[in-house]
Amino acid sequence: MEIGIDSFAAILPDPATGALPSSTDRMAALLTEVEIADSVGLDVFGIGEHHRPEFLDSAPAIILAAAAARTSRIRLTSAVTVLSAADPVRIFQEFATLDLISKGRAELVVGRGSFGEAFPLFGLDPRSYDDLFAEKLDLLLTLRETTHPIWQGRFRPSLNGEGVFPRPHQPRLPVWLGVGGTPESFARAGLLGLPLMIAVIGGTFGRFRPLVDLYRQAGEKAGHGPATLKVGVHALGFLGATDAEAADAFYPGWAHLMAIVGRERGWTPPTRAQFADMAGPEGAYLVGAPETVADKVLRASEALGGISRITFQMSTASVEPPAMQRSIELLGREVAPTVRERFFTK
């Protein structure tokens, strides 16, 4: 099992003072986080894409390129690229360039995104949400296979053999499909034979099992083998020396962001009891001491019939850089070895 981190480059107020760090300092801290993840043996680091004041990740390929120059082995991916609102040609070029800089460590996780701010920003009709994604995914996958594509669609001008450069270092740039909870998205990933990345942001891991089964059934029916049909999980997580220490560090940032999103979506205000339930044994938050989190990762894999990758979204924590860095070190030095040992001895 691959283990890694996803970051949205969240910029959150200090829990004690309410002061925001500078964007420059937050970005510097983020690049240090990637360096530490590389040094402690984690497998992958992902950068999300948002166009909101709470996050600094509107240009993930640039952040990943800076990270590539500072690291040597960790794989670098988007988490996710909001493909519905992007030009697949430019996305392919950016990540092919990242692949050259990183000498074959670039990946893409593409999805429709959980926020809608990209649509008005780039002049797109949100009513075409799914049609835009399906068409642009088709073009992106076409670009993986040919340098001079012949392609037509509804939303983008046709391609008539123009060359798309550069080509990546890897023979085939990895593309995962990021999904939330719609059966259509799981089935689409299976039919296309794309590895699946599930965003689990609440509830339990087990509630996704029927959808994962649908993904595998659709993939097998389309002729894709088990080695192709990989399942990954993206979940909120944070490590501390004890369960209480990790929860106390993660909760303030979580509550701050959930309150903002909740006001936009008409949710009730978040509570510590809700958080404790999600961080508890049956909840989907990977928050706690290393042994607690390792056990929970293995239970998540079992609940979903086996997973190939799990990534921790830690940037919701509004903590000083040393606490974030310590969380990454605990994940790489204690959780990852435990999970890998138990995973392979089953």
Side-chain angles (χ1 to χ4, degrees):
M1 184 192 300
E2 294 179 321
I3 298 174
I5 295 170
D6 289 333
S7 177
F8 296 164
I11 183 162
L12 299 169
D14 183 288
T17 67
L20 282 173
S22 74
S23 297
T24 302
D25 288 346
R26 178 66 187 98
M27 192 64 72
L30 173 58
L31 292 173
T32 299
E33 291 163 21
V34 188
E35 288 184 87
I36 293 171
D38 185 56
S39 71
V40 298
L42 291 172
D43 298 295
V44 61
F45 203 107
I47 301 293
E49 181 192 340
H50 300 84
H51 303 271
R52 302 171 56 89
E54 302 87 12
F55 307 109
L56 301 176
D57 60 351
S58 63
I62 294 177
I63 300 173
L64 292 168
R70 296 166 176 242
T71 57
S72 61
R73 53 166 300 280
I74 198 165
R75 297 194 67 77
L76 301 166
T77 183
S78 59
V80 301
T81 294
V82 184
L83 191 60
S84 302
D87 181 352
V89 173
R90 290 298 290 162
I91 293 297
F92 183 86
Q93 290 174 323
E94 288 170 359
F95 279 82
T97 303
L98 171 63
D99 204 46
L100 297 175
I101 294 169
S102 65
K103 299 180 181 176
R105 293 185 281 133
E107 298 186 4
L108 278 158
V109 180
V110 300
R112 294 178 294 183
S114 59
F115 295 96
E117 73 276 356
F119 287 86
L121 183 64
F122 297 110
L124 299 168
D125 186 347
R127 293 172 297 181
S128 300
Y129 181 78
D130 190 64
D131 291 339
L132 279 163
F133 181 75
E135 177 177 299
K136 293 184 177 188
L137 178 60
D138 176 68
L139 176 53
L140 180 66
L141 297 179
T142 298
L143 296 171
R144 287 204 305 176
E145 308 304 325
T146 179
T147 305
H148 298 275
I150 306 295
W151 179 90
Q152 286 188 322
R154 289 171 51 203
F155 300 103
R156 189 201 187 280
S158 300
L159 293 171
N160 299 296
E162 296 88 351
V164 178
F165 303 104
R167 305 309 295 178
H169 177 88
Q170 298 172 90
R172 204 162 184 252
L173 193 63
V175 175
W176 294 62
L177 190 61
V179 297
T182 62
E184 295 81 8
S185 295
F186 284 78
R188 173 189 284 146
L191 289 170
L192 294 171
L194 294 175
L196 185 75
M197 180 57 68
I198 309 166
V200 182
I201 58 174
T204 66
F205 293 104
R207 73 187 177 97
F208 287 91
R209 180 60 182 267
L211 295 170
V212 171
D213 289 344
L214 174 63
Y215 162 70
R216 290 179 171 133
Q217 291 161 7
E220 291 167 6
K221 187 175 181 180
H224 303 295
T228 301
L229 301 172
K230 297 189 292 185
V231 175
V233 168
H234 156 103
L236 278 70
F238 196 81
L239 279 294
T242 66
D243 291 350
E245 178 184 297
D248 288 345
F250 198 75
Y251 175 74
W254 174 86
H256 177 80
L257 286 177
M258 289 297 292
I260 292 172
V261 175
R263 286 193 295 269
E264 294 175 358
R265 301 184 181 184
W267 299 346
T268 58
T271 67
R272 186 67 188 244
Q274 290 173 336
F275 175 80
D277 186 53
M278 286 295 97
E282 302 304 320
Y285 292 175
L286 302 168
V287 176
E291 185 67 21
T292 299
V293 171
D295 287 343
K296 203 166 187 180
V297 167
L298 290 165
R299 291 200 304 273
S301 180
E302 184 177 355
L304 295 173
I307 61 176
S308 299
R309 175 181 290 182
I310 191 161
T311 55
F312 287 61
Q313 207 292 82
M314 293 186 182
S315 65
T316 302
S318 52
V319 295
E320 290 295 316
M324 179 67 73
Q325 293 165 14
R326 179 59 176 156
S327 177
I328 296 168
E329 290 170 351
L330 289 171
L331 181 61
R333 291 177 177 157
E334 298 193 29
V335 175
T338 299
V339 169
R340 290 167 185 149
E341 180 182 357
R342 295 184 189 174
F343 192 76
F344 286 115
T345 54
K346 280 190 173 186

